[in-house]
Amino acid sequence: MALLFYQNINIQISGKIDFNTKTNSGVWADISVGDSIIRCYSVHLKSNQISRKAQEVVDDMENNQKIESKNIKNILSLYKNNVQIRAEQVKIVKKEILSSPYPVIIGADFNDPPISYTYKQFSEKLHDSFKDKGVGLGISYGGVIPFLRIDYLLVSDKLKTLDFSNYNVNYSDHFPILASYKID
């Protein structure tokens, strides 16, 4: 995820949020924009790791074969385990955000939809830029499971979302999202 500012900016200080994994973590930076400082986070929470099993189910359906219940059970088991790991990661990131002395922007791959515990924890204190200015379903994942919105831009009360866009382009299995903000 990229943050673009249309003024002179200066990074004041930065840091890392470590989840003790090779593939999931977060970074943050305090960025001066004009006379204000904003803390920007980029976070990738634990993946569900169900794409391969979901593809097997889709392949079985397309070939009019019997869907193996073990594949469904494996998907549900993986999802349950990874939801629990994300819940711990959410606590770490939320503590960081709540301790910020500055307004916050978080760009994140939550690997969870808007009805999840993960989303609820962050949206209690932050505004969802898609809900403020987005259009349509806000689909951000282009993998085998259709219509998922699992990538987010969330902001503090002191930031007002001016616009929000999704881009259905094939750079990866996730689609880029972009928002612009005004500092109140």
Side-chain angles (χ1 to χ4, degrees), residues 3-54:
L3 297 171
L4 304 173
F5 296 98
Y6 296 101
Q7 299 181 29
N8 290 334
I9 65 165
N10 184 24
I11 296 177
Q12 303 291 315
I13 188 171
S14 62
K16 183 176 180 183
I17 303 170
D18 190 4
F19 299 138
N20 295 316
T21 72
K22 292 180 181 177
T23 57
N24 305 110
S25 65
V27 293
W28 61 269
D30 290 344
I31 300 173
S32 63
V33 182
D35 295 334
S36 300
I37 297 177
I38 300 170
R39 181 161 290 173
C40 298
Y41 291 89
S42 178
V43 176
H44 181 227
L45 300 181
K46 177 71 173 159
S47 298
N48 286 305
Q49 300 172 317
I50 61 174
S51 293
R52 194 171 298 128
K53 290 291 179 192

Side-chain angles (χ1 to χ4, degrees), residues 97-149:
I97 288 171
L98 292 174
S99 70
S100 173
Y102 307 113
V104 167
I105 298 173
I106 179 171
D109 176 356
F110 287 166
N111 279 303
D112 266 326
I115 60 169
S116 66
Y117 169 84
T118 299
Y119 178 84
K120 184 177 187 299
Q121 291 301 302
F122 288 109
S123 64
E124 285 177 346
K125 298 286 182 185
L126 302 171
H127 296 277
D128 182 343
S129 298
F130 170 75
K131 284 176 96 173
D132 290 344
K133 293 291 181 174
V135 176
L137 298 176
I139 298 165
S140 67
Y141 180 70
V144 67
I145 302 170
F147 307 116
L148 289 179
R149 181 164 82 97

